[in-house]
Amino acid sequence: MARTVSTRTRIGFTALAWIVALLLFSPILWTILTAFKTEAEAIASRPTFFPETFTLENFGAVQDRSDYIKHAINSILVSVGSTLLGLAIGIPAAWAMAFAPTKRTKDVLMWMLSTKMMPAVGVLIPIYLIFRDLRLLDTVHGLTLIMTLINLPIIIWMLYTYFKEIPVDILEAARMDGAELWNEIVHVLVPMAVPGIASTLLLNVILAWNEAFWTITLTSGRAGTLTAFISSFSSPQGLFLAKLSAASLLAIAPILLMGWFSQKQLVRGLTFGAVK
Amino acid sequence: MGSISLSHVNKSFGDVQVIPDISLDINDGEFVVFVGPSGCGKSTLLRLIAGLEDTTSGTILLDGQDMTKAPPARRGLAMVFQSYALYPHMTVRDNIAFPLKMAKASKEVIDQKVEYAARTLNLSSYLDRRPRALSGGQRQRVAIGRAIVREPKAFLFDEPLSNLDAALRVNMRLEITELHQQLKTTMIYVTHDQVEAMTMADRIVVLNAGNVEQFGSPLDLYKKPANRFVAGFIGSPKMNFVDGPEAAKHNAHSIGVRPEHFKLSRDNVPGTWKGKVGVAEQLGSDTFLHVHVGGLGLMTIRTDGDQTFAHGDEVYLTPDQTRIYKFDAAGKAI
Ligand SMILES: Nc1ncnc2c1ncn2[C@@H]1O[C@H](COP(=O)(O)OP(=O)(O)O)[C@@H](O)[C@H]1O
Ligand SMILES: [Mg+2]
């Protein structure tokens, strides 16, 4: 039986949905608009909505001061690198937990997740000291390593959930067909889990891209990522609101675009288990 | 070659002992069926042979070689699963070719063997489809094709037909039997259906609660069941059992008479069992009568399809004296 919804209720809810969506989006919209204003207009006591004098000079100034390109490359290296490294470790780990579990597998999974509940500052000092002694401070590979470790529990959990959906019969058939472990994973498990692996990859690239705590504390000039880049503009030296906006826009644009183009894949992957 | 030999194989899952102690010798080229009620350990036994489960103790020899600890990929056996277990992301061609690719066969060899298997199994026009686009029977053929191409020492089937409809099941049963006659490779076939067991097997292993009740040819099991369990499991409809004084007349704890071993009449003959017809199931060729016999309970009788007994009729049953099975108190045949 179809539910009958009156036109008025429908219009009401549609309007409400738009209002909520716009409210959530408004800070980002405001940042975008401010990035194209002059500094004077940005802090004017009677704020304008659209820029009165449309300018691109903020972007030029930002690049001149802090080298956007370098930070962007670091962000790409760290987020993609840590995710690929995480998948290389996570796929075999999730295979073992999903298809060759022991009595303790559930406990290990819970323990891994519990490390995510701990506040990062709790391990700041030891990690900092380890990084200092291993000369990993302010290096891209050091940052990639720590980002891999931070996101590994999520990667393994996500992959584990997806792998659980795969009928074990099919992997057993591969074993009977003469596939050694490596071939079973590469030729059978991974192709069947592509949607799940893709959304794990996307989500973890986004998480690593947006991570600010470790990127800011473990880098200074050389290995800084875009989050370090933005924070360098929120200094108390002066209120460069337009430049800060331009920097923020530059930092979030790549990931926004990526999220936009992959949203179908993300939703499909995240609901993989829910709707078969 | 493909002889399989189990000696004192035991399998426990944690504290639960599923297979206490099985020893079996299967000859090269034999078609052996494992049959038994659901949950009796047929699949577990097959998976032990395949290497998909590890034995708790005991040894498994393939062609005289100890393979107890070998991984499935090294045992050289092929398996057909109940769920077909085809690779959903590969075409039919790639599914069939997969074992050959794993064995690093050359492209020409792969193409030639895949074509041959496809022709044998009537799959030639489906080679570029995905399994999803095939019917159940076709999927089962692909699974068989995938097993054939690697020329295994033995084929293992785990209830391969139970997802098919009845008519298709009879067809595939014949095809698998023909395949065996053609390839002459050892086959082990697991089923809970005693009709499949009787029609396909050279020899049948009857399993019950993880124990081998009897191992013999279909007619052996039918004519000389080792115990009451086998007698009741083999044959359809089921054998009728009678305990008490009627069995004591034959110096047995219980006796069994198959439905097809009765003489039936409407006239009272001395020494017969008198009963009343409950349900008459008419199949055309045969009629199965379920007869309530005073003091002995419900008996199933098989008569030819022209008999016109109906509900409520009084009948007199004479068991064929030469075909009465006798069992002792422990259920062993005497
Ligand atoms: N992986 C397992 N863990 C625990 N018990 C199992 C496992 N596999 C099978 N069993 C148990 O072993 C018994 C035999 O199972 P199975 O061999 O599948 O029976 P069948 O194939 O004859 O129906 C069942 O009681 C089942 O619950
Ligand atoms: Mg089974």
Side-chain angles (χ1 to χ4, degrees):
Chain A
M1 204 183 78
R3 274 184 316 154
T4 46
V5 182
S6 77
T7 317
R8 252 178 48 206
T9 339
R10 206 157 47 201
I11 291 174
F13 275 110
T14 309
L16 189 67
W18 273 99
I19 290 168
V20 171
L22 282 175
L23 267 177
L24 290 174
F25 183 64
S26 59
I28 295 176
L29 182 65
W30 194 252
T31 309
I32 295 174
L33 292 170
T34 309
F36 295 101
K37 294 174 185 170
T38 60
E39 281 305 343
E41 191 185 342
I43 54 163
S45 53
R46 295 199 37 218
T48 51
F49 188 70
F50 288 109
E52 260 166 11
T53 43
F54 182 88
T55 172
L56 290 175
E57 71 184 24
N58 295 320
F59 295 94
V62 163
Q63 169 65 19
D64 285 345
R65 208 200 100 180
S66 290
D67 198 351
Y68 169 77
I69 303 292
K70 186 189 80 184
H71 288 90
I73 290 175
N74 285 344
S75 268
I76 293 172
L77 287 177
V78 170
S79 58
V80 175
S82 69
T83 303
L84 291 182
L85 194 60
L87 284 176
I89 302 169
I91 289 175
W95 175 90
M97 292 182 185
F99 301 115
T102 67
K103 265 185 275 176
R104 296 258 164 272
T105 296
K106 278 256 142 52
D107 301 337
V108 172
L109 278 165
M110 284 319 290
W111 170 74
M112 285 192 330
L113 200 62
S114 72
T115 62
K116 291 297 292 179
M117 319 275 171
M118 183 183 58
V121 250
V123 288
L124 174 60
I125 306 291
I127 297 259
Y128 189 88
L129 294 180
I130 292 170
F131 263 55
R132 188 195 64 192
D133 294 348
L134 295 178
R135 300 184 180 288
L136 291 173
L137 283 176
D138 202 18
T139 60
V140 171
H141 58 272
L143 207 53
T144 306
L145 196 68
I146 193 88
M147 216 59 80
T148 307
L149 293 176
I150 288 172
N151 285 340
L152 204 49
I154 298 181
I155 292 180
I156 293 179
W157 258 94
M158 285 182 75
L159 292 175
Y160 171 79
T161 330
Y162 299 132
F163 288 0
K164 275 299 223 191
E165 300 284 324
I166 291 174
V168 68
D169 278 9
I170 296 180
L171 300 184
E172 289 180 342
R175 279 170 228 170
M176 293 305 296
D177 284 344
E180 304 280 346
L181 182 55
W182 174 250
N183 283 325
E184 174 187 328
I185 291 181
V186 171
H187 292 294
V188 180
L189 178 67
V190 169
M192 284 176 70
V194 159
I197 292 174
S199 59
T200 308
L201 185 132
L202 286 171
L203 189 73
N204 280 279
V205 167
I206 293 172
L207 286 177
W209 188 280
N210 293 338
E211 207 284 334
F213 180 78
W214 293 105
T215 47
I216 292 171
T217 46
L218 295 180
T219 64
S220 47
R222 245 179 332 133
T225 64
L226 285 174
T227 45
F229 168 81
I230 305 179
S231 77
S232 75
F233 278 89
S234 58
S235 56
Q237 303 155 9
L239 266 179
F240 296 113
L241 202 53
K243 292 194 185 62
L244 180 60
S245 297
S248 300
L249 182 58
L250 284 170
I252 62 173
I255 211 73
L256 269 187
L257 286 177
M258 192 183 112
W260 181 270
F261 284 115
S262 59
Q263 56 178 318
K264 264 218 184 93
Q265 181 62 55
L266 262 177
V267 171
R268 193 158 86 97
L270 291 173
T271 55
F272 185 48
V275 280
K276 277 226 268 196
Chain B
M1 287 296 284
S3 70
I4 298 169
S5 172
L6 310 187
S7 128
H8 299 294
V9 167
N10 167 285
K11 176 66 185 174
S12 304
F13 291 108
D15 299 335
V16 187
Q17 181 160 286
V18 174
I19 293 176
D21 179 11
I22 285 189
S23 298
L24 267 186
D25 283 301
I26 294 168
N27 302 324
D28 180 37
E30 241 185 333
F31 196 125
V32 170
V33 174
F34 294 170
V35 71
S38 173
C40 70
K42 307 179 293 289
S43 297
T44 306
L45 189 58
L46 195 73
R47 291 166 58 81
L48 286 170
I49 295 172
L52 294 171
E53 303 281 356
D54 296 324
T55 53
T56 307
S57 66
T59 51
I60 297 173
L61 307 184
L62 301 179
D63 284 336
Q65 226 183 331
D66 188 347
M67 288 283 187
T68 316
K69 296 260 167 352
R74 304 256 171 84
R75 295 197 184 192
L77 305 172
M79 184 146 167
V80 176
F81 293 79
Q82 180 176 355
S83 61
Y84 318 128
L86 302 179
Y87 309 121
H89 57 289
M90 297 182 196
T91 58
V92 168
R93 183 190 305 280
D94 290 338
N95 263 281
I96 299 178
F98 187 75
L100 298 169
K101 281 187 187 144
M102 290 300 108
K104 302 209 165 57
S106 71
K107 183 146 180 6
E108 298 84 74
V109 173
I110 292 179
D111 285 346
Q112 181 210 330
K113 285 195 176 173
V114 170
E115 294 296 333
Y116 177 76
R119 235 178 308 123
T120 318
L121 294 161
N122 280 327
L123 288 169
S124 296
S125 40
Y126 305 106
L127 279 175
D128 295 315
R129 287 204 196 170
R130 293 283 162 89
R132 170 169 6 103
L134 298 179
S135 71
Q138 289 164 340
R139 287 180 203 186
Q140 194 54 268
R141 283 202 177 78
V142 177
I144 293 173
R146 190 172 64 179
I148 295 176
V149 288
R150 55 184 311 227
E151 292 166 18
K153 289 187 200 135
F155 291 92
L156 311 177
F157 295 90
D158 192 355
E159 310 223 14
L161 307 185
S162 46
N163 286 346
L164 301 179
D165 65 54
L168 203 52
R169 203 148 57 208
V170 174
N171 272 339
M172 287 301 293
R173 198 166 85 196
L174 276 174
E175 281 190 37
I176 293 175
T177 311
E178 268 174 26
L179 194 68
H180 178 248
Q181 283 160 359
Q182 186 191 330
L183 299 174
K184 301 189 171 60
T185 309
T186 312
M187 291 189 179
I188 302 182
Y189 186 104
V190 163
T191 177
H192 62 267
D193 179 355
Q194 62 93 25
V195 178
E196 272 179 23
M198 293 296 280
T199 51
M200 300 174 89
D202 292 326
R203 286 201 290 168
I204 298 176
V205 177
V206 182
L207 287 170
N208 183 27
N211 292 304
V212 175
E213 297 285 347
Q214 196 170 356
F215 184 21
S217 73
L219 283 185
D220 258 1
L221 302 193
Y222 179 83
K223 288 187 175 151
K224 283 176 265 169
N227 52 45
R228 200 174 143 154
F229 179 83
V230 176
F233 196 79
I234 299 291
S236 169
K238 225 165 106 61
M239 182 184 280
N240 301 293
F241 292 104
V242 174
D243 305 329
E246 198 63 41
K249 282 187 203 161
H250 293 89
N251 296 320
H253 179 77
S254 61
I255 57 169
V257 186
R258 294 197 185 277
E260 51 272 39
H261 297 156
F262 281 100
K263 263 211 197 54
L264 203 62
S265 81
R266 293 181 193 273
D267 313 315
N268 190 355
V269 192
T272 58
W273 299 338
K274 179 182 171 201
K276 209 175 203 150
V277 174
V279 176
E281 294 176 306
Q282 292 180 317
L283 306 184
S285 56
D286 304 292
T287 300
F288 299 143
L289 301 177
H290 300 272
V291 180
H292 297 277
V293 179
L296 303 180
L298 192 65
M299 302 257 166
T300 309
I301 316 297
R302 175 182 201 155
T303 66
D304 64 66
D306 300 329
Q307 295 286 355
T308 53
F309 293 99
H311 173 78
D313 286 1
E314 278 202 348
V315 290
Y316 295 89
L317 312 174
T318 325
D320 180 344
Q321 293 297 321
T322 60
R323 285 164 150 171
I324 293 178
Y325 298 90
K326 298 173 220 167
F327 306 97
D328 66 16
K332 265 177 71 80
I334 44 181

